Amino acid sequence: MTFNEPITLISMKTITKFCELALIASLLFSFGCSPKWTETDKGTFKLINNEGGQTLGYSPTSGVKILTVDRLAFKDLNKDGKLDAYEDWRLPVDERAKDLATKLSVEQIAGLMLYSAHQSIPAMGRGPFGAATYNSKPFKESGAQSSDLTDQQKKFLTDDNLRHVLITSVESPAIAAQWNNHAQALVESIGFGIPSNNSSDPRHGSDSYAEFNAGAGGKISMWPGTVGIAASFDPQLMKQFGEIASKEYRALGIATALSPQIDLGTEPRWSRFDGTMGEDPILAADMARAYVDGFQTSENTDEISGGWGYKSVNAMVKHWPGGGPEEGGRDAHFGYGAYAVYPGKNIKDHLKPFTEGAFKLEGKTGMASAVMPYYTISFNQDTVNGENVGNAYNKYLITDLLRGKYGYDGVVCTDWMITKDAKNVFMFQGKCWGVENLTEAERHYKAIEAGVDQFGGNNEMGPVIEAYKMGVAAHGEEFMRKRFEQSAVRLLRNIFRVGLFENPYLEVTETEKTVGNPEFMKAGYEAQLRSVVLLKNHGKVLPVKKQMKVYIPKKYIPGGRNWFGLETKESWRDAVNPEIAKKYFQLVEKPEEADFALVCIDSPKGGVGYSEDDVKKNGNGYVPISLQYGPYKAEFARETSMAGGSPFETFTNRTYKGKTTVASNLQDMNTVNETKAKMGEKPVIVVVRVSNPMIFVEIEKSADAILVQMGVQSQTILEILTGVSEPSALLPFQMPADMKTVEEQSEDVPRDMKCYVDSDGNTYDFAFGMNWQGVINDARVTKYRK
């Protein structure tokens, strides 16, 4: 009995204390001191709404618990039972990023510094970026769901700590959302619970065959290419694109855009010309600023802080310090195009879209959150060290110029595969220009030394760890740890800003409602209408009446080999979707039956500037890139190239003077001229899909009207032809008079060519365009044609 008495007393005290606490809790509840958050089960994840605070999302399978502090909910991402600074959404982003960076191991930081190779959802086996399997089997044999992670994705997310994934094609918006949720649940369960920052290259291009129906949705809104939007000469249209595209990106689980491409299109032969915003530095700067503002800015309830929030998408502007001035127009995805040259000593104009545009935003986010240098060796532009190496390896361009002179402290991410090996100058492979003789680890170290934070196209942390050890040997552990944390803070900042640490999950039904909704489809279609340039309207043949009889010759598609070495066969196809065309005109099979002809062609496909056949003929491999259809002999090319040299070549002079080439789509020219001959005096209307500036002398006289488009649905052309919409766009670049002026222009200087003058006396210069009344001469022309 004596033994039991103290226990009885303790029990009574405990009961009394419990009652007191219950009473206090009841009183607190009565006075509004209950937790200020509620939880909703969304099936694959749970959603927590904090009253007056951030919304949290977490997976019930990730092991994450919810902490209640000051009556608010927080995710215990590292599962240590306490609220760490990086988990506290009330704190400033920089404070959170610095706290987490100090906690991470070198291996975890190395994983942050990786950006994956291209990932399609689902992955369909072997491709140019490697094989993909599901439980060691190809997708079609695996029984896996389309939204499942591949074996390779699981590996790089877990073993290599990778947290930045480049998404390419997706089966559908719903599948993309489900894949995102699977990936986020996996990484939430690991280490510090750092979410995946998924990204995309531009994905809003138009399908020429697709029909626009007011009120109907699609897979994603369709817009003209950026050079087409630039043709509107209206930065607000570019901003609208950014605002809509960012909403669709976030609904797909994409929080970083590997765009905009703001290289100046000063070299008209460059194969990536149509991804630019034209050749004028002022127009390109205005468009770049609008694009980034549109993508990065969240407003009202979507804003978290400083303009960033749940609808924000990090913009990675490219390509520093401007990839446009490629010698002879050859592209740096290949060793034959490794050099950017500056005969006009004009690098300053190429910096303006960055320094005056993307780094000087009107919105609260201030500047683009990431920058990508191009593959090129910016020849003889390193005024400090005199190095001619790829831009991402050049300390002067990254640390001295970008970070030093222009004060940029955002993420610098290399272009894809720059640290991989190359074996020659003509295959699609590694792009280690200027550092071919270094090892892969040494390339990583040199790029880090130059000021780079992240490596595009690298799924494995091994080379980054080796680079760290090289730095320790050279500078000591303290120095390299500090350098890695510096990159970690920059990278984490971009994940925190957009709210991914709080809620990286997507509601599939909301994704389906958002992506390609009717409002967004309509905006994209209207932008397409505003991107078409009317160059010629002889005798005011346009607009034409609906239901006139039209002859539309088929379009020739040349065969060839793409960048990845995949062959395609030549073919003929309908130039316009006939089912759509029938809603506007009567289609006839013979020219003599028609009231007018509509000929749809592409600008000349004049080659890439290199030919293995030329090598077999004992040449140096270098050939001209032509902007005309017919045979072209490079009589006015340089005797000696401005730049050259590769471990894979025994010479440095990359001249192609005296060599001949012809466009692979020569048939387009023939189709125009043959159609004119068949039509006689009846009108011939020519529509050109322009990828590069072109020489019109070969076809202009055979056309009564000419329109140029830069990536639109063909329905927009039909609406303009019939007067439903009036053309209003202007050329954001010059159309050269001939190949002589192309060869003699400077690759780095804008608007320095002699322009084509047509048979009506109009000059196809920058900012030229027509409407139904004639040549446009409005405020846009006054502002930009200075």
Side-chain angles (χ1 to χ4, degrees), residues 540-608:
K540 293 193 174 181
V541 65
L542 294 178
V544 296
K545 294 180 180 179
K546 279 191 173 184
Q547 296 308 313
M548 290 180 70
K549 294 178 181 178
V550 62
Y551 168 65
I552 308 177
K554 290 189 180 294
K555 190 174 187 296
Y556 172 71
I557 310 299
R561 186 171 60 185
N562 69 10
W563 275 10
F564 309 125
L566 300 176
E567 296 281 349
T568 55
K569 294 181 179 180
E570 67 176 12
S571 62
W572 291 83
R573 57 171 279 185
D574 291 320
V576 179
N577 184 333
E579 296 306 311
I580 299 176
K582 287 176 183 177
K583 297 180 180 180
Y584 294 84
F585 303 113
Q586 296 181 53
L587 306 187
V588 297
E589 295 294 325
K590 298 178 181 179
E592 56 267 27
E593 299 174 349
D595 297 313
F596 72 99
L598 174 61
V599 185
C600 299
I601 60 174
D602 292 335
S603 56
K605 300 179 186 296
V608 298

Coordinates of all heavy atoms in Angstrom, one line a residue, residues 540-608:
K540 N -2.7 46.8 -105.9 CA -3.6 46.6 -104.7 C -4.5 45.3 -105.0 O -5.7 45.3 -104.8 CB -4.5 47.8 -104.4 CG -3.6 48.9 -103.9 CD -4.5 50.0 -103.3 CE -3.6 51.1 -102.6 NZ -4.4 52.2 -102.0
V541 N -3.8 44.3 -105.4 CA -4.5 43.0 -105.7 C -5.1 42.4 -104.5 O -6.0 41.7 -104.5 CB -3.5 42.0 -106.4 CG1 -2.4 41.6 -105.4 CG2 -4.2 40.8 -106.9
L542 N -4.5 42.8 -103.3 CA -5.1 42.3 -102.0 C -5.8 43.5 -101.4 O -5.4 44.6 -101.5 CB -3.9 41.8 -101.1 CG -3.2 40.6 -101.5 CD1 -2.0 40.3 -100.5 CD2 -4.1 39.4 -101.7
P543 N -6.9 43.1 -100.6 CA -7.4 41.8 -100.3 C -8.2 41.3 -101.5 O -8.7 42.0 -102.3 CB -8.2 42.0 -99.1 CG -8.7 43.4 -99.2 CD -7.6 44.2 -99.8
V544 N -8.4 39.9 -101.5 CA -9.3 39.3 -102.5 C -10.6 38.9 -101.8 O -10.7 38.8 -100.6 CB -8.6 38.0 -103.1 CG1 -7.4 38.4 -103.8 CG2 -8.3 37.0 -102.0
K545 N -11.6 38.6 -102.6 CA -12.9 38.2 -102.1 C -12.9 36.8 -101.7 O -12.3 35.9 -102.4 CB -14.0 38.5 -103.1 CG -14.2 40.0 -103.4 CD -15.3 40.2 -104.5 CE -15.5 41.7 -104.8 NZ -16.5 41.9 -105.8
K546 N -13.7 36.5 -100.7 CA -13.9 35.1 -100.4 C -14.6 34.3 -101.5 O -15.4 34.9 -102.3 CB -14.7 35.0 -99.1 CG -13.9 35.2 -97.8 CD -14.8 34.8 -96.6 CE -13.9 34.9 -95.3 NZ -14.7 34.4 -94.1
Q547 N -14.3 33.0 -101.5 CA -14.9 32.0 -102.4 C -14.5 32.3 -103.9 O -15.1 31.7 -104.8 CB -16.4 32.0 -102.3 CG -16.9 31.5 -100.9 CD -16.2 30.2 -100.5 OE1 -16.2 29.2 -101.4 NE2 -15.7 30.1 -99.3
M548 N -13.4 33.1 -104.1 CA -12.8 33.1 -105.4 C -12.2 31.8 -105.7 O -11.8 31.0 -104.8 CB -11.8 34.3 -105.5 CG -12.5 35.7 -105.5 SD -11.2 37.0 -105.6 CE -10.7 36.8 -107.3
K549 N -11.9 31.5 -107.0 CA -11.3 30.2 -107.3 C -9.7 30.4 -107.2 O -9.2 31.3 -107.8 CB -11.7 29.8 -108.7 CG -13.1 29.5 -108.9 CD -13.5 29.1 -110.3 CE -14.9 28.8 -110.5 NZ -15.3 28.5 -111.9
V550 N -9.1 29.5 -106.5 CA -7.7 29.6 -106.2 C -7.0 28.3 -106.6 O -7.5 27.2 -106.3 CB -7.4 30.0 -104.8 CG1 -7.9 28.9 -103.8 CG2 -5.9 30.2 -104.6
Y551 N -5.8 28.5 -107.2 CA -4.9 27.4 -107.5 C -3.7 27.4 -106.5 O -3.1 28.4 -106.4 CB -4.4 27.5 -108.9 CG -3.3 26.5 -109.3 CD1 -3.5 25.2 -109.3 CD2 -2.0 27.0 -109.6 CE1 -2.4 24.3 -109.6 CE2 -1.0 26.2 -109.9 CZ -1.2 24.8 -109.9 OH -0.1 23.9 -110.2
I552 N -3.6 26.4 -105.8 CA -2.5 26.3 -104.8 C -1.6 25.1 -105.1 O -1.9 24.0 -104.8 CB -3.0 26.1 -103.3 CG1 -4.1 27.2 -103.0 CG2 -1.9 26.2 -102.3 CD1 -4.7 27.1 -101.6
P553 N -0.5 25.4 -105.7 CA 0.4 24.2 -106.1 C 1.0 23.6 -104.8 O 1.1 24.2 -103.8 CB 1.6 24.9 -106.9 CG 1.5 26.3 -106.5 CD 0.1 26.7 -106.2
K554 N 1.3 22.3 -104.9 CA 1.8 21.6 -103.8 C 3.2 22.1 -103.4 O 3.9 22.7 -104.2 CB 1.8 20.1 -104.0 CG 0.4 19.5 -104.0 CD 0.5 17.9 -104.1 CE -0.9 17.3 -104.1 NZ -1.6 17.6 -102.9
K555 N 3.6 21.9 -102.2 CA 4.9 22.4 -101.7 C 5.9 21.2 -101.6 O 5.6 20.1 -101.1 CB 4.7 23.0 -100.3 CG 5.8 23.7 -99.7 CD 5.4 24.4 -98.4 CE 6.5 25.3 -97.9 NZ 7.8 24.6 -97.6
Y556 N 7.1 21.6 -102.1 CA 8.2 20.6 -102.1 C 8.9 20.6 -100.8 O 9.3 21.7 -100.3 CB 9.1 20.9 -103.2 CG 10.4 20.1 -103.2 CD1 10.4 18.7 -103.5 CD2 11.6 20.6 -102.9 CE1 11.5 17.9 -103.5 CE2 12.8 19.9 -102.9 CZ 12.7 18.5 -103.2 OH 13.9 17.8 -103.2
I557 N 9.1 19.5 -100.2 CA 9.9 19.3 -98.9 C 11.2 18.6 -99.3 O 11.2 17.4 -99.6 CB 9.1 18.5 -97.9 CG1 7.7 19.1 -97.7 CG2 9.9 18.6 -96.5 CD1 7.6 20.5 -97.2
P558 N 12.3 19.3 -99.3 CA 13.6 18.6 -99.6 C 14.0 17.6 -98.6 O 13.7 17.7 -97.4 CB 14.6 19.8 -99.7 CG 14.0 20.8 -98.8 CD 12.5 20.7 -98.9
G559 N 14.6 16.6 -99.1 CA 15.2 15.6 -98.2 C 16.5 16.1 -97.6 O 17.0 17.2 -98.0
G560 N 17.0 15.4 -96.6 CA 18.3 15.8 -96.0 C 18.6 15.2 -94.7 O 17.9 14.2 -94.3
R561 N 19.5 15.7 -94.0 CA 20.0 15.2 -92.7 C 19.9 16.3 -91.7 O 20.5 17.4 -91.9 CB 21.4 14.6 -92.9 CG 21.9 13.8 -91.6 CD 23.2 13.1 -91.9 NE 24.2 14.0 -92.4 CZ 25.4 13.6 -92.8 NH1 25.7 12.3 -92.9 NH2 26.3 14.5 -93.1
N562 N 19.3 16.0 -90.5 CA 19.2 17.0 -89.5 C 20.5 17.1 -88.7 O 21.4 16.3 -88.9 CB 18.0 16.9 -88.7 CG 18.0 15.6 -87.8 OD1 19.0 15.0 -87.6 ND2 16.9 15.3 -87.2
W563 N 20.5 17.9 -87.6 CA 21.6 18.1 -86.8 C 22.1 16.8 -86.1 O 23.3 16.6 -85.9 CB 21.3 19.1 -85.7 CG 21.5 20.5 -86.1 CD1 21.8 21.0 -87.3 CD2 21.5 21.7 -85.2 NE1 21.9 22.3 -87.3 CE2 21.7 22.8 -86.1 CE3 21.3 21.9 -83.9 CZ2 21.8 24.1 -85.6 CZ3 21.3 23.2 -83.4 CH2 21.6 24.3 -84.2
F564 N 21.1 15.9 -85.9 CA 21.5 14.7 -85.2 C 21.8 13.6 -86.1 O 22.0 12.4 -85.7 CB 20.3 14.2 -84.3 CG 19.8 15.3 -83.4 CD1 18.4 15.7 -83.4 CD2 20.6 16.0 -82.5 CE1 18.0 16.7 -82.6 CE2 20.1 17.0 -81.7 CZ 18.8 17.4 -81.7
G565 N 21.9 13.9 -87.4 CA 22.3 12.9 -88.4 C 21.1 12.0 -88.9 O 21.4 11.1 -89.6
L566 N 19.9 12.4 -88.6 CA 18.7 11.6 -89.0 C 18.3 12.0 -90.4 O 18.1 13.2 -90.7 CB 17.6 11.8 -88.0 CG 17.8 11.3 -86.6 CD1 16.7 11.7 -85.7 CD2 18.2 9.9 -86.5
E567 N 18.1 11.1 -91.3 CA 17.8 11.3 -92.7 C 16.3 11.5 -92.8 O 15.5 10.8 -92.2 CB 18.3 10.2 -93.5 CG 19.8 10.0 -93.6 CD 20.5 11.0 -94.5 OE1 19.8 11.7 -95.3 OE2 21.7 11.1 -94.4
T568 N 15.9 12.4 -93.7 CA 14.5 12.5 -94.1 C 14.4 12.5 -95.6 O 15.3 13.0 -96.3 CB 13.8 13.8 -93.6 OG1 14.6 14.9 -94.0 CG2 13.8 13.8 -92.1
K569 N 13.4 11.9 -96.2 CA 13.2 11.8 -97.6 C 12.4 13.0 -98.2 O 11.6 13.6 -97.5 CB 12.5 10.5 -98.0 CG 13.2 9.2 -97.6 CD 12.4 8.0 -98.0 CE 13.2 6.7 -97.7 NZ 12.5 5.5 -98.1
E570 N 12.8 13.3 -99.4 CA 12.0 14.4 -100.0 C 10.6 14.0 -100.2 O 10.2 12.8 -100.4 CB 12.7 14.8 -101.4 CG 12.6 13.7 -102.4 CD 13.2 14.2 -103.8 OE1 13.8 15.2 -103.8 OE2 12.9 13.5 -104.8
S571 N 9.7 15.0 -100.3 CA 8.3 14.7 -100.4 C 7.6 16.0 -101.0 O 8.1 17.1 -101.0 CB 7.7 14.3 -99.1 OG 7.8 15.4 -98.1
W572 N 6.3 15.8 -101.3 CA 5.4 16.9 -101.7 C 4.2 16.8 -100.8 O 3.7 15.8 -100.4 CB 5.0 16.7 -103.2 CG 6.1 17.0 -104.2 CD1 7.0 16.0 -104.6 CD2 6.3 18.2 -104.9 NE1 7.8 16.6 -105.5 CE2 7.4 17.9 -105.7 CE3 5.7 19.4 -104.9 CZ2 8.0 18.9 -106.6 CZ3 6.3 20.4 -105.7 CH2 7.4 20.1 -106.6
R573 N 3.7 18.0 -100.4 CA 2.6 18.0 -99.5 C 1.7 19.2 -99.9 O 2.1 20.2 -100.6 CB 3.0 18.1 -98.1 CG 3.9 19.3 -97.8 CD 4.1 19.5 -96.3 NE 3.0 20.2 -95.7 CZ 3.0 20.6 -94.4 NH1 4.0 20.3 -93.6 NH2 2.0 21.2 -93.9
D574 N 0.5 19.2 -99.4 CA -0.4 20.4 -99.6 C 0.2 21.6 -98.9 O 0.6 21.5 -97.7 CB -1.8 20.1 -99.0 CG -2.6 19.1 -99.8 OD1 -2.5 19.1 -101.0 OD2 -3.2 18.2 -99.1
A575 N 0.3 22.7 -99.6 CA 0.9 23.9 -99.0 C 0.0 24.5 -97.9 O 0.5 25.1 -97.0 CB 1.1 24.9 -100.1
V576 N -1.3 24.3 -98.0 CA -2.3 24.8 -97.0 C -3.2 23.6 -96.7 O -3.6 22.9 -97.7 CB -3.0 26.0 -97.6 CG1 -4.1 26.5 -96.6 CG2 -2.1 27.1 -98.0
N577 N -3.6 23.5 -95.5 CA -4.6 22.5 -95.2 C -5.9 22.7 -96.0 O -6.6 23.7 -95.9 CB -5.0 22.6 -93.7 CG -5.9 21.6 -93.2 OD1 -6.7 21.0 -94.0 ND2 -5.9 21.2 -91.9
P578 N -6.2 21.8 -96.9 CA -7.3 22.0 -97.9 C -8.6 22.2 -97.2 O -9.5 22.9 -97.7 CB -7.2 20.8 -98.8 CG -6.5 19.8 -98.0 CD -5.5 20.5 -97.2
E579 N -8.8 21.5 -96.1 CA -10.1 21.6 -95.4 C -10.3 23.0 -94.8 O -11.5 23.5 -94.8 CB -10.2 20.6 -94.2 CG -10.2 19.1 -94.7 CD -11.2 18.9 -95.8 OE1 -12.4 19.3 -95.5 OE2 -10.9 18.3 -96.8
I580 N -9.2 23.7 -94.4 CA -9.3 25.1 -93.9 C -9.5 26.0 -95.1 O -10.3 26.9 -95.1 CB -8.1 25.5 -93.1 CG1 -8.0 24.6 -91.8 CG2 -8.2 26.9 -92.7 CD1 -6.8 24.8 -91.0
A581 N -8.7 25.8 -96.2 CA -8.7 26.6 -97.4 C -10.1 26.7 -98.0 O -10.5 27.7 -98.5 CB -7.7 26.2 -98.4
K582 N -10.8 25.5 -98.0 CA -12.2 25.5 -98.6 C -13.2 26.4 -97.9 O -14.2 26.8 -98.5 CB -12.7 24.1 -98.5 CG -12.0 23.1 -99.5 CD -12.5 21.7 -99.3 CE -11.8 20.7 -100.2 NZ -12.3 19.3 -99.9
K583 N -12.9 26.8 -96.7 CA -13.8 27.7 -96.0 C -13.6 29.2 -96.4 O -14.4 30.0 -96.1 CB -13.5 27.6 -94.5 CG -13.9 26.2 -93.9 CD -13.6 26.1 -92.4 CE -14.0 24.8 -91.9 NZ -13.7 24.6 -90.4
Y584 N -12.5 29.4 -97.2 CA -12.2 30.8 -97.7 C -12.3 30.9 -99.2 O -12.7 31.9 -99.7 CB -10.9 31.2 -97.2 CG -10.7 31.3 -95.7 CD1 -10.5 30.2 -94.9 CD2 -10.9 32.6 -95.2 CE1 -10.4 30.4 -93.6 CE2 -10.8 32.7 -93.8 CZ -10.5 31.6 -93.0 OH -10.4 31.8 -91.6
F585 N -12.0 29.8 -99.9 CA -11.9 29.8 -101.4 C -12.4 28.5 -102.0 O -12.5 27.5 -101.3 CB -10.5 30.0 -101.9 CG -9.8 31.3 -101.3 CD1 -8.7 31.2 -100.4 CD2 -10.3 32.5 -101.7 CE1 -8.1 32.3 -99.9 CE2 -9.7 33.7 -101.2 CZ -8.6 33.6 -100.3
Q586 N -12.7 28.6 -103.3 CA -12.9 27.4 -104.1 C -11.6 26.9 -104.6 O -10.9 27.6 -105.3 CB -13.9 27.7 -105.2 CG -15.3 28.2 -104.9 CD -16.1 28.4 -106.1 OE1 -16.3 27.6 -107.0 NE2 -16.7 29.6 -106.2
L587 N -11.2 25.7 -104.3 CA -10.0 25.1 -104.7 C -10.1 24.5 -106.1 O -11.0 23.7 -106.3 CB -9.5 24.1 -103.7 CG -9.4 24.5 -102.2 CD1 -8.7 23.4 -101.4 CD2 -8.6 25.9 -102.1
V588 N -9.2 24.8 -107.0 CA -9.2 24.2 -108.3 C -7.9 23.5 -108.6 O -6.8 23.9 -108.0 CB -9.5 25.3 -109.4 CG1 -10.9 25.8 -109.2 CG2 -8.5 26.4 -109.4
E589 N -7.9 22.6 -109.5 CA -6.7 21.8 -109.7 C -5.8 22.4 -110.8 O -4.6 22.1 -110.9 CB -7.1 20.3 -110.1 CG -7.8 19.6 -109.0 CD -6.8 19.3 -107.8 OE1 -5.6 19.1 -108.0 OE2 -7.3 19.3 -106.6
K590 N -6.4 23.2 -111.7 CA -5.7 23.7 -112.8 C -5.6 25.2 -112.8 O -6.5 25.9 -112.5 CB -6.4 23.3 -114.1 CG -6.4 21.7 -114.3 CD -7.2 21.4 -115.6 CE -7.3 19.9 -115.7 NZ -8.0 19.5 -116.9
P591 N -4.4 25.8 -113.1 CA -4.2 27.2 -113.1 C -5.2 28.0 -114.0 O -5.7 29.0 -113.7 CB -2.8 27.4 -113.6 CG -2.1 26.1 -113.4 CD -3.2 25.1 -113.5
E592 N -5.6 27.4 -115.2 CA -6.5 28.1 -116.1 C -7.9 28.2 -115.5 O -8.7 29.0 -116.0 CB -6.5 27.3 -117.4 CG -6.9 25.9 -117.4 CD -5.7 25.0 -117.3 OE1 -4.6 25.4 -116.8 OE2 -5.8 23.8 -117.7
E593 N -8.2 27.4 -114.5 CA -9.5 27.5 -113.9 C -9.6 28.5 -112.8 O -10.7 28.9 -112.3 CB -9.9 26.1 -113.3 CG -10.0 25.0 -114.4 CD -10.3 23.6 -113.7 OE1 -10.2 23.6 -112.5 OE2 -10.6 22.7 -114.4
A594 N -8.4 29.0 -112.3 CA -8.3 29.8 -111.1 C -8.5 31.3 -111.4 O -8.2 31.8 -112.5 CB -7.0 29.6 -110.4
D595 N -9.0 32.1 -110.4 CA -9.0 33.5 -110.5 C -7.6 34.1 -110.0 O -7.2 35.1 -110.5 CB -10.0 34.1 -109.5 CG -11.4 33.7 -109.9 OD1 -11.8 33.8 -111.1 OD2 -12.2 33.2 -109.0
F596 N -6.9 33.3 -109.1 CA -5.6 33.7 -108.7 C -4.9 32.5 -108.2 O -5.5 31.5 -108.0 CB -5.6 34.8 -107.7 CG -6.1 34.4 -106.3 CD1 -5.2 34.1 -105.3 CD2 -7.4 34.3 -106.0 CE1 -5.6 33.7 -104.1 CE2 -7.9 33.9 -104.8 CZ -7.0 33.6 -103.8
A597 N -3.6 32.6 -108.0 CA -2.8 31.5 -107.5 C -2.2 31.9 -106.2 O -1.8 33.1 -106.0 CB -1.7 31.1 -108.5
L598 N -2.1 30.9 -105.3 CA -1.4 31.1 -104.0 C -0.3 30.2 -103.9 O -0.5 28.9 -103.9 CB -2.4 30.9 -102.8 CG -1.9 31.0 -101.4 CD1 -1.3 32.3 -101.1 CD2 -3.0 30.6 -100.4
V599 N 0.9 30.7 -103.8 CA 2.1 29.8 -103.7 C 2.8 30.0 -102.4 O 3.2 31.2 -102.0 CB 3.1 30.2 -104.9 CG1 4.3 29.2 -104.8 CG2 2.4 30.2 -106.2
C600 N 2.9 28.9 -101.6 CA 3.5 29.0 -100.3 C 4.9 28.3 -100.3 O 5.0 27.1 -100.7 CB 2.6 28.3 -99.3 SG 1.0 29.1 -99.1
I601 N 5.9 29.0 -100.0 CA 7.3 28.5 -100.1 C 8.1 28.9 -98.8 O 7.6 29.6 -97.9 CB 8.0 29.1 -101.3 CG1 8.1 30.6 -101.2 CG2 7.3 28.7 -102.6 CD1 8.9 31.3 -102.3
D602 N 9.3 28.3 -98.7 CA 10.2 28.7 -97.6 C 11.3 29.5 -98.2 O 11.7 29.5 -99.4 CB 10.8 27.4 -97.0 CG 9.8 26.6 -96.3 OD1 8.8 27.1 -95.8 OD2 10.1 25.4 -96.1
S603 N 11.9 30.3 -97.3 CA 13.1 31.1 -97.7 C 14.2 30.1 -98.1 O 14.2 28.9 -97.7 CB 13.6 32.0 -96.6 OG 13.8 31.3 -95.4
P604 N 15.2 30.5 -98.9 CA 16.2 29.5 -99.3 C 16.9 28.8 -98.2 O 17.3 29.4 -97.2 CB 17.2 30.4 -100.1 CG 16.4 31.6 -100.6 CD 15.4 31.8 -99.5
K605 N 17.1 27.5 -98.4 CA 17.8 26.6 -97.4 C 19.2 26.4 -98.0 O 19.5 25.5 -98.8 CB 17.1 25.3 -97.2 CG 15.7 25.5 -96.7 CD 15.0 24.1 -96.5 CE 13.5 24.3 -96.0 NZ 13.4 24.9 -94.7
G606 N 20.1 27.4 -97.7 CA 21.4 27.5 -98.3 C 22.5 26.8 -97.7 O 23.7 27.1 -98.0
G607 N 22.2 25.8 -96.8 CA 23.3 25.0 -96.3 C 23.8 25.5 -94.9 O 23.3 26.5 -94.4
V608 N 24.8 24.7 -94.4 CA 25.3 25.0 -93.1 C 26.7 25.6 -93.1 O 27.3 26.0 -92.1 CB 25.3 23.8 -92.2 CG1 23.9 23.3 -92.0 CG2 26.2 22.7 -92.8

